[in-house]
Amino acid sequence: MTMHVLHGGRDGLGSPSPLARLAPSRWDMVALPLVLGLLALMVFGGHEVAQPLSQLERTPITLDPWTLPYYALRTTLRMMAALGASLLFTLVYAPLAVKSQRAGQILIPALDILQSVPVLTYLSFTVTFFLGLFPGQVVGAELASIFAIFTSQAWNMTFSFYQSLRTVPSDLEEVCTGYHFSTWQRFWRLEVPFAIPGLVWNMMMSMSGGWFFVVAAEAVTVGSTTITLPGVGAYLALAIEQRDLGAIGWVILTMLGVIILYDQLLFRPLVAWADRFRADTVQAEQRPTSWVLTMVERSALFRALGRPAGGAARATLRWRFPSLPKLKLAAPRLSPRAIKIGDYVWQGALAAMAIYVAVDGIRFMATGVTWGDVGHVVLLGLATMVRVIVLIVLAAIFWVPVGVMVGMRPRLAAIVQPLAQFLAAFPSNLFFPVAVAVIVHWTLNPDIWLSPLMILGTQWYILFNVVAGAQAYPVDLRDVIANLRLRGWRKWRDALLPGVFPHLVTGAITASGGAWNASIVAEAVSWGDTHVQARGLGAYIAQMTTDADFPRLVLGNVVMVCFVVLFNRLVWRPLYGYAERRLRVS
């Protein structure tokens, strides 16, 4: 870890004196207005959230470019709130799935299902709940919007953390055992630091991926009433509806500005900070830097603000959670046979619960679905699955070499990082005019030429995860590659691909789940009054959502969930297992 020396008064031992630590530096001239400005924006945004719903009717969405800074603030606050909730969910959900085998038998399949459920479906069933919590208040609609964005952010972060927990180097685990760390200490001192580099890049991807669904998340529908929240997504939806290319240009510029700001203020400092947790025995020659991280470390204001939090964190890390007092009658040790019987009982209970849910769902769908509908939807699912597989393979072939090159060159990563975030955040909705115009003008087949729209927003999961894997690639192993003079395909086959493979699998899982979700907006596109539709499960779900045909909507979601879960079980999980057994850095 790099130690930063602060210049100023020193005590007799050569370290900074307490007065020197509190003395303002030139960085405080930047830190103070920055902190006050961010606090003011948060207070202003929070005040707007506390308004009654009638306020939204009095101030409808307008395409005036001067409203975009305000809309950008509201959208960014929603996405940041969803990102915080996603991080909390990740830190709780993934460890439970790893530490408890029986919990994992529920949580991992549930995670497969959750990532495959479309964002529109979450909105259909959760809006009433959140609005009921705060009747007549904007905060209810805001929570529904934040939850929808959360569902587009949380799953890839959880998969990344889960993959990191499953591939912690065994020698580091032995060190923790030697120091007699408790489970709590092992989690915060080993597992979380080991996972931080990959988790930070997935947080960036989650933030960018949230832009993809922000149009749907800012239009909250209850029955025949639609509540449109002020934001960039609502502005973009209105611009597309009115075919206003100038307004779309202003949206692009606004998104670029917002992404540059939160890249500089949040993600670039996080990337530079996360580099300290690389599992290396040799320090890299080039390391990522951030002026914000330097400011935080050298500003007296941040040192004063961070001292109480730092003390609390250090005290928490020393907490060993004292064990419960011993019972007078020791519990009998269970035999392997008894443990096996317990596992069978647990699995039987899970199967019974799954059957109950399936029967209840079938009863509901039977009210408006025929066997012909089932066969038709399954065929639509097969069509969408072919598109997803082809697109994921093509994206992996292109982005894996690029991700490795970027991840192993910090200077290049510093240049590519904001550009990749912008491209990942670029909503595919903005390509709808081009797609519709080209398909209509040249009379092209929508089943083929709408497919690229599915991967535009999800291919970045592969890139970001591969970059994270390449950055975590040990420096000493890079030196071995150089000393052995590995070149060409042999270098990729024997060194680079095995090193990034666990991260590639994580990226492919989340990219495929995102592609299934994106099919809902990519298989049926509109530009004004012109509509183009491909045959697929996404277009079917979008149509059923518009028609409020809930039995068929449930059927479409069930079929999509089945396709995603089966593919994860049959393809991705075996690849995960192979990565854990054969490709761990130990």
Side-chain angles (χ1 to χ4, degrees):
M1 181 182 298
T2 303
M3 299 299 294
H4 298 279
V5 179
L6 301 178
H7 298 286
R10 295 179 177 274
D11 57 24
L13 298 177
S15 59
S17 65
L19 290 177
R21 295 190 187 100
L22 295 176
S25 68
R26 66 179 183 274
W27 288 104
D28 288 289
M29 299 177 64
V30 179
L32 182 60
L34 180 62
V35 171
L36 292 179
L38 291 176
L39 288 176
L41 289 175
M42 292 174 64
V43 170
F44 175 72
H47 177 265
E48 295 298 304
V49 169
Q51 299 296 319
L53 279 175
S54 57
Q55 179 68 24
L56 298 179
E57 299 176 359
R58 292 193 294 268
T59 55
I61 301 299
T62 173
L63 294 184
D64 183 357
W66 292 105
T67 61
L68 275 171
Y70 170 66
Y71 291 165
L73 172 64
R74 295 291 296 272
T75 297
T76 303
L77 289 177
R78 290 182 197 113
M79 296 178 69
M80 287 295 180
L83 188 67
S86 300
L87 181 60
L88 180 62
F89 176 87
T90 296
L91 293 176
V92 174
Y93 196 97
L96 285 176
V98 173
K99 304 296 182 182
S100 172
Q101 180 180 358
R102 291 181 178 175
Q105 292 173 348
I106 297 177
L107 296 179
I108 295 305
L111 193 61
D112 292 335
I113 294 172
L114 289 171
Q115 75 148 347
S116 60
V117 175
V119 172
L120 289 178
T121 302
Y122 284 114
L123 279 172
S124 300
F125 292 98
T126 59
V127 167
T128 304
F129 169 75
F130 285 110
L131 289 177
L133 290 179
F134 301 93
Q137 298 294 317
V138 173
V139 64
E142 289 283 354
L143 288 176
S145 177
I146 290 171
F147 182 79
I149 298 172
F150 164 86
T151 61
S152 68
Q153 293 181 341
W155 320 134
N156 69 295
M157 292 170 58
T158 306
F159 273 120
S160 171
F161 196 47
Y162 174 81
Q163 173 259 322
S164 296
L165 294 180
R166 296 294 295 265
T167 56
V168 174
S170 56
D171 53 347
L172 296 181
E173 292 181 341
E174 292 172 0
V175 171
C176 288
T177 302
Y179 278 104
H180 303 287
F181 282 174
S182 65
T183 303
W184 173 260
Q185 291 174 317
R186 181 189 297 261
F187 178 71
W188 289 108
R189 291 180 179 269
L190 170 62
E191 294 168 346
V192 171
F194 178 77
I196 278 177
L199 185 58
V200 166
W201 277 91
N202 273 278
M203 288 172 63
M204 282 192 284
M205 183 61 239
S206 291
M207 190 68 176
S208 297
W211 288 98
F212 189 81
F213 294 103
V214 76
V215 174
E218 291 180 350
V220 179
T221 302
V222 184
S224 58
T225 304
T226 299
I227 302 171
T228 303
L229 296 170
V232 175
Y235 185 100
L236 174 60
L238 183 60
I240 292 175
E241 181 182 342
Q242 297 186 4
R243 294 191 176 195
D244 192 330
L245 293 177
I248 290 177
W250 285 112
V251 168
I252 295 173
L253 290 176
T254 302
M255 288 178 56
L256 178 60
V258 171
I259 290 168
I260 290 174
L261 281 175
Y262 69 62
D263 172 71
Q264 289 292 318
L265 299 179
L266 177 63
F267 289 121
R268 194 175 294 265
L270 283 177
V271 168
W273 174 73
D275 186 71
R276 304 174 178 186
F277 301 101
R278 290 162 52 101
D280 274 342
T281 57
V282 180
Q283 182 172 323
E285 295 181 2
Q286 298 179 353
R287 306 186 69 176
T289 59
S290 165
W291 66 270
V292 172
L293 182 62
T294 303
M295 178 189 68
V296 170
E297 293 174 334
R298 299 186 180 183
S299 166
L301 173 64
F302 279 102
R303 288 199 298 273
L305 294 175
R307 187 175 293 111
R314 287 189 292 272
T316 302
L317 290 177
R318 291 193 294 268
W319 197 7
R320 298 186 61 88
F321 282 104
S323 58
L324 296 175
K326 294 182 179 180
L327 299 176
K328 294 182 179 179
L329 297 176
R333 297 189 62 181
L334 297 177
S335 64
R337 179 180 176 83
I339 294 175
K340 197 170 185 179
I341 293 174
D343 289 338
Y344 286 146
V345 172
W346 174 250
Q347 292 168 3
L350 294 181
M353 182 173 61
I355 292 172
Y356 173 79
V357 172
V359 170
D360 195 50
I362 290 171
R363 287 176 179 171
F364 176 74
M365 288 186 289
T367 60
V369 172
T370 65
W371 284 109
D373 292 326
V374 174
H376 174 64
V377 173
V378 169
L379 291 177
L380 294 177
L382 288 172
T384 301
M385 185 181 70
V386 170
R387 294 190 184 101
V388 171
I389 293 174
V390 171
L391 292 171
I392 293 298
V393 171
L394 293 176
I397 291 173
F398 181 80
W399 287 118
V400 168
V402 175
V404 171
M405 179 178 64
V406 171
M408 291 190 171
R409 294 169 174 81
R411 291 181 182 175
L412 180 60
I415 299 173
V416 172
Q417 180 179 321
L419 177 62
Q421 288 188 70
F422 174 71
L423 292 176
F426 202 85
S428 65
N429 314 60
L430 298 182
F431 291 99
F432 288 2
V434 178
V436 171
V438 170
I439 290 173
V440 171
H441 183 268
W442 296 100
T443 320
L444 301 175
N445 185 352
D447 294 337
I448 297 175
W449 295 100
L450 285 181
S451 299
L453 297 179
M454 293 171 54
I455 201 66
L456 286 177
T458 61
Q459 60 184 329
W460 310 105
Y461 289 110
I462 296 175
L463 174 63
F464 277 62
N465 277 278
V466 172
V467 169
Q471 287 192 334
Y473 200 88
V475 176
D476 48 356
L477 292 185
R478 300 185 197 183
D479 294 337
V480 170
I481 295 172
N483 292 334
L484 294 178
R485 298 182 180 179
L486 295 179
R487 297 289 186 273
W489 170 242
R490 186 181 177 190
K491 176 182 177 180
W492 281 95
R493 183 194 63 191
D494 297 340
L496 297 181
L497 280 178
V500 301
F501 186 76
H503 297 268
L504 172 59
V505 173
T506 299
I509 290 176
T510 51
S512 63
W516 280 96
N517 248 305
S519 68
I520 296 174
V521 295
E523 290 181 346
V525 301
S526 301
W527 176 240
D529 297 329
T530 306
H531 306 280
V532 178
Q533 182 170 317
R535 285 180 295 235
L537 188 54
Y540 178 87
I541 293 176
Q543 185 62 48
M544 294 305 107
T545 302
T546 302
D547 296 343
D549 190 338
F550 289 104
R552 288 184 171 84
L553 176 61
V554 171
L555 173 63
N557 280 276
V558 167
V559 171
M560 181 174 286
V561 166
C562 289
F563 271 105
V564 175
V565 171
L566 285 175
F567 200 80
N568 285 355
R569 295 286 108 184
L570 298 177
V571 178
W572 300 128
R573 291 303 158 198
L575 290 176
Y576 247 138
Y578 177 78
E580 293 170 13
R581 294 190 307 271
R582 303 291 300 275
L583 302 177
R584 294 178 62 173
V585 179
S586 300

